[in-house]
Structures are given as structure tokens and as C-alpha cells.
């Protein structure tokens, strides 16, 4: 599970950055819309939609925004823009592997824009499959570790199908197969335990140490990619320095 322990810190840091950029609601709205288009508008029958709505609530997204995003997915929201889910891959400075989850209404626009960002910061965009073999798709749940005793929580999540429980910073980080995410999440919620974040994520099997100017450029590349309007998430094999987690301003 090397490389997985940084995930909670990165997610916490990114949530702060998203809120400051003011992009979090628009990105979650698009996730809700595409989930509805692919699996229907009933979250009880559509786990992907249920996760997207859960993410919206965790971000304190207004109920009206959620409903508008659902209506767009149904096709009654006055916006017939067709969104496409895309997974892009590439390399950053010193060969760090990067994967990008994106939602776009125009792939022919998004691809050259992302390629330009890679090139600007010393990387290059690659072909499908060039780095995905370095990652695993997992379900991940974050719970603040002050809400329950670790041993009891571990028993709860393992019985529900989780693969591992780690304590990372102020969080319990629950790892599971992506197909078990919904079941583990519901098992936690039935115990009235608040979930800070739940999603599927590409986790690096191993991380790479990068220093100096290459490290600075790698951070700039990842942040620039995350800031792109079409990008939902960026995953990498970069081993983030401790200063990254401490500097939250």
C-alpha cells in the first residue's frame, strides 16, 4: 500500500484550494449531471449519483444547486450540453506519473489545453495506458478519528468489506474495492458516524521522491491541472514533502 498514506492529506489540502478558487460547486454539479445521465436520477439505485450528492453535501452545496444539476442530467434543466468523462495520462518532471479525471463538453478543446500545461511545467501528455499500470482504482472513505475508537471502527469497516484502515493525520482512511464502496459507506453511516469524504480514486502503488526545482515544477503542474475547469481530480506518483501539508494558506 506504499504511496496511499498521503491521500488523506492531499484530499484535505485540495478541498481548501477548491474552496478558495470557488470551483468546487461547479465541478460537483457536473459530476452529479453525468451520474444522472449514466445511471438515472434515483440515488438509491445509482451509487455514483449517491456519492456525488454526498460530496455536494459535504461541501455545503445548496440543495437548489443539487436539484438543478440533477435536472440537467435528466434533460429538463434547459441545458443540453453533452458531457464526456475522460481519463488522461502523462508524465511530469523527473518522470512522475500523472492521471487526470476530467469532464468535458469538447474533448478537442480540453486535450490541447492540458497538453500545453504539461509542456509549460516540464512534462508531457502521454497515450492511454502509459502510466495507469502504476495505480490502483480504490474506494476511499475519510472519517475524523475523534469520533470513535480505532479498534471498534476497524471491526466495523472490515466486517462491511473494507480491505484496510489507516490513521493519517486527523483521519481514519478506509480503503476498499471500488465495488464495495457503497456498502462500506452505508455501514459507517448506520452507526451515525459522520463521513468527511467518500469517493473512488486512483492510488499510486509507489511514490517518487523529487527535489529542488523539479519538485517545485511538479507541484505547479499538478495545481495548474487541478485548476482547469474540466478537471475533477489529479492523481500522481509524486511524494509530497511535509511542507505541502503544513502550508494551508
Amino acid at each position: 500500500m506504499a504511496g496511499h498514506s498521503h491521500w488523506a492529506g492531499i484530499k484535505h489540502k485540495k478541498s481548501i484550494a477548491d474552496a478558495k478558487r470557488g470551483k468546487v460547486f461547479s465541478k460537483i454539479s457536473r459530476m452529479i449531471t453525468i451520474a444522472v445521465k449514466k445511471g438515472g436520477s434515483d440515488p438509491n439505485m445509482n451509487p455514483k449519483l449517491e456519492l456525488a450528492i454526498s460530496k455536494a453535501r459535504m461541501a455545503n452545496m445548496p440543495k437548489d444547486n443539487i436539484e438543478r444539476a440533477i435536472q440537467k442530467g435528466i434533460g429538463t434543466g434547459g441545458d443540453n450540453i453533452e458531457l464526456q468523462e475522460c481519463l488522461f495520462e502523462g508524465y511530469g518532471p523527473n518522470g512522475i506519473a500523472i492521471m487526470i479525471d476530467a469532464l468535458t463538453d469538447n474533448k478537442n478543446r480540453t486535450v490541447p489545453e492540458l497538453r500545453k500545461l504539461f509542456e509549460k511545467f516540464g512534462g508531457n501528455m502521454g497515450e492511454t495506458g502509459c502510466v495507469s499500470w502504476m495505480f490502483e482504482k480504490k474506494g476511499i472513505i475519510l472519517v475524523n478519528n475523534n469520533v470513535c475508537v480505532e479498534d471498534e471502527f476497524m471491526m466495523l469497516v472490515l466486517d462491511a468489506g473494507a480491505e484496510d484502515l489507516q490513521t493519517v493525520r486527523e483521519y481514519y482512511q478506509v480503503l476498499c474495492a471500488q465495488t464495495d464502496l457503497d456498502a462500506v459507506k452505508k455501514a459507517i453511516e448506520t452507526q451515525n458516524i459522520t463521513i468527511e469524504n467518500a469517493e473512488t480514486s486512483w492510488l499510486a502503488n509507489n511514490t517518487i521522491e523529487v527535489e529542488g526545482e523539479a519538485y517545485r515544477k511538479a507541484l505547479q503542474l499538478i495545481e495548474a491541472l487541478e485548476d482547469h475547469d474540466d478537471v475533477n481530480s489529479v492523481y500522481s506518483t509524486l511524494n509530497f514533502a511535509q511542507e505541502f501539508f503544513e502550508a494551508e494558506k
Side-chain angles (χ1 to χ4, degrees), residues 83-155:
L83 294 172
Q84 180 181 2
E85 287 183 294
C86 301
L87 184 64
F88 301 112
E89 305 178 36
Y91 293 92
N94 276 35
I96 66 164
I98 295 176
M99 295 184 67
I100 304 165
D101 271 331
L103 277 176
T104 179
D105 60 358
N106 185 347
K107 189 175 179 181
N108 291 331
R109 169 183 50 78
T110 303
V111 170
E113 289 178 355
L114 295 181
R115 182 176 288 114
K116 186 175 181 180
L117 289 175
F118 271 100
E119 293 170 354
K120 180 178 179 180
F121 296 105
N124 62 282
M125 200 163 171
E127 299 296 325
T128 300
C130 67
V131 301
S132 55
W133 58 274
M134 303 182 196
F135 296 79
E136 289 181 275
K137 191 72 174 286
K138 290 290 185 182
I140 308 186
I141 299 171
L142 292 186
V143 171
N144 197 294
N145 62 21
N146 65 8
V147 299
C148 52
V149 178
E150 182 174 359
D151 289 345
E152 295 176 358
F153 188 61
M154 180 177 289
M155 290 296 295

Side-chain angles (χ1 to χ4, degrees), residues 11 16 32 40 77 92 97 144-145 157 167 220 225:
K11 182 56 59 175
I16 294 172
I32 292 172
N144 197 294
N145 62 21
V157 297
T167 299
Q220 288 178 327
L225 292 169

